[in-house]
Amino acid sequence: MEKEMQMLREKALAELGQSRSEKELQDVKVSYLGKKGKLTAVLRDMKNLSAEERPVMGALANTVRRDLESAIADKMEALKKIRMEKKLQEETIDITLPARHRAAGHLHPLTKTLRLITETFMRMGYSIEEGPEMESDYYNFHCLNLPKDHPARDMQDSFYITEDILLRTHTSPVQARTMQKHRPNDPIRMISPGRVFRWDNDATHSPVFHQVEGLVIDKDIHFSDLKGTLEMFLKELFGADTKIRFRASYFPFTEPSAEVDISFSSRTHADTKDAEWLEILGCGMVHPNVLRLNRYDPEKVNGFAFGMGVERIAMLLYGIDDLRHFYENDMRFLEQF
Ligand code: DAH
């Protein structure tokens, strides 16, 4: 019996020595130490032994059991370690691989231009006003000294929604809205950037485009204030060497009215001697009728106004020859800004 026990021990140790996985080892453990295991069976047979043999065999059996248990525990630990190491090796991250390219977006050239314009005026203390893109005939025309059947309405081809509602043709209605929002004769110094709509479509006209309106009202405002303001703004935007020319013009909401041309040979015409003049905005002294129509008193205050096309300015700033590029979302174009 004692011999049998030793053989059992040797055999078990050999088997668990050969186990290649935790699962195999667990099977070996069950086959010896489990309820129906080989060692368990030997212990069960002890009842057939004599009273002298029994304690000797009992002690031996317990030693064998303890040896097997600790050998199994050690082996289990070793197998676990091997498995972890293998896993770590398989799952290592190669930090020397080149990073995946991630394309970062950036601002559209029109947004950039709009921000440039608004920031320049904000530095001069202007506030920003907004108005709806769907506008009433009343604000878009009437309050700006353009009553129904006024011929100057033909200057702006419009998208009408009903007889009295249209997509605004310019940002000028925000002049009227701002005056009506203030107490009569309170000073105003604002710009209003936004989208406008006209029935036009070619290389220099889009049915949807952007304008920035400006309005200053106070006591004793002169044409020289308008000139100085626009000169400062345009030089800030296009460079200190920009030349500026005021040309007499007509707008129903200003009197006198002017169009402003610029010439900045150093930026856009570096290779030509004769710089061209380019029209850049409309402006003038606010017409007394416009003040009256919006509850301001032309005897007490006066002011100037201006309106510029953002696309036009962006084209000049960036040297773009066709305005349709702005809306086509061609990445080859957009990525250049
Ligand atoms: N609203 C005019 C247009 O869209 C531009 C303009 C001209 C605005 C003169 C003004 C101005 O405020 O004084 O053609």
Side-chain angles (χ1 to χ4, degrees):
M1 180 105 194
E2 196 180 323
K3 189 125 183 252
E4 197 183 328
M5 190 74 88
Q6 293 296 1
M7 273 169 65
L8 196 75
R9 181 171 178 276
E10 295 310 315
K11 203 161 162 261
L13 287 174
E15 266 179 53
L16 66 92
Q18 272 161 18
S19 305
R20 289 277 157 269
S21 71
E22 288 153 272
K23 164 94 177 52
E24 268 178 52
L25 184 62
Q26 183 64 25
D27 290 345
V28 174
K29 181 178 177 181
V30 170
S31 76
Y32 285 92
L33 303 178
K35 259 201 187 110
K36 291 179 183 152
K38 292 174 188 136
L39 185 68
T40 320
V42 173
L43 288 173
R44 207 178 294 124
D45 286 343
M46 289 221 321
K47 61 180 183 294
N48 304 326
L49 296 179
S50 65
E52 303 90 69
E53 275 179 314
R54 215 176 288 159
V56 182
M57 284 305 294
L60 180 59
N62 276 332
T63 316
V64 171
R65 169 196 285 273
R66 244 178 281 123
D67 285 356
L68 288 184
E69 273 173 355
S70 91
I72 288 169
D74 289 350
K75 179 75 180 182
M76 194 61 99
E77 202 51 45
L79 285 174
K80 207 167 168 174
K81 214 169 141 190
I82 290 170
R83 182 168 57 88
M84 286 306 290
E85 262 159 20
K86 199 168 159 228
K87 197 170 164 189
L88 276 174
Q89 217 157 42
E90 279 169 2
E91 293 177 9
T92 41
I93 297 165
D94 183 355
I95 57 164
T96 64
L97 278 177
R100 218 165 286 163
H101 178 67
R102 230 186 262 187
H106 66 277
L107 295 178
H108 190 278
L110 281 180
T111 308
K112 279 184 152 174
T113 308
L114 256 173
R115 290 198 182 174
L116 216 60
I117 297 170
T118 49
E119 278 161 17
T120 309
F121 278 107
M122 279 165 78
R123 278 201 297 276
M124 294 194 260
Y126 281 63
S127 65
I128 306 230
E129 298 288 341
E130 286 187 322
E133 292 174 0
M134 217 156 74
E135 188 53 284
S136 59
D137 186 279
Y138 170 74
Y139 284 116
N140 195 80
F141 293 125
H142 176 84
C143 294
L144 296 167
N145 200 30
L146 271 147
K148 282 217 154 88
D149 68 324
H150 191 292
R153 281 194 179 203
D154 295 342
M155 286 163 78
Q156 302 181 358
D157 297 313
S158 320
F159 291 109
Y160 276 92
I161 288 157
T162 68
E163 187 78 2
D164 291 315
I165 297 174
L166 71 159
L167 297 180
R168 65 177 180 187
T169 55
H170 50 181
T171 42
S172 303
V174 188
Q175 287 190 33
R177 286 180 173 274
T178 306
M179 280 188 255
Q180 292 189 20
K181 216 170 70 178
H182 279 74
R183 270 197 327 233
N185 306 327
D186 267 2
I188 291 172
R189 198 191 316 174
M190 71 82 167
I191 55 163
S192 182
R195 238 189 302 265
V196 300
F197 309 83
R198 284 188 209 176
W199 183 237
D200 268 335
N201 205 2
D202 58 42
T204 51
H205 296 91
S206 154
V208 183
F209 60 107
H210 300 78
Q211 285 189 339
V212 176
E213 191 76 16
L215 175 68
V216 172
I217 298 182
D218 211 330
K219 292 193 177 83
D220 301 321
I221 299 286
H222 302 281
F223 197 89
S224 55
D225 297 316
L226 168 61
K227 263 190 106 170
T229 301
L230 291 180
E231 244 182 74
M232 185 151 152
F233 163 68
L234 292 171
K235 288 191 169 173
E236 185 90 6
L237 207 63
F238 291 105
D241 59 343
T242 306
K243 292 196 194 72
I244 293 148
R245 178 169 83 178
F246 284 73
R247 217 168 2 88
S249 183
Y250 170 77
F251 297 103
F253 25 89
T254 43
E255 181 60 35
S257 302
E259 277 169 320
V260 177
D261 302 332
I262 61 163
S263 159
F264 52 114
S265 48
S266 63
R267 295 277 290 274
T268 52
H269 305 95
D271 47 353
T272 52
K273 265 188 266 128
D274 313 309
E276 297 164 60
W277 289 102
L278 295 155
E279 183 194 324
I280 194 119
L281 55 82
C283 62
M285 302 306 288
V286 179
H287 196 294
N289 282 351
V290 173
L291 291 170
R292 267 191 288 269
L293 281 162
N294 296 290
R295 302 197 288 268
Y296 271 61
D297 183 352
E299 300 298 324
K300 294 193 173 133
V301 291
N302 63 339
F304 65 77
F306 54 87
M308 66 191 88
V310 178
E311 277 77 357
R312 193 74 206 272
I313 290 175
M315 284 168 87
L316 293 173
L317 273 180
Y318 298 116
I320 296 162
D321 58 357
D322 190 326
L323 155 151
R324 286 170 291 202
H325 288 312
F326 289 129
Y327 314 111
E328 281 168 355
N329 279 338
D330 185 334
M331 291 307 285
R332 289 168 303 180
F333 170 77
L334 294 174
E335 273 167 358
Q336 297 176 49
F337 302 95

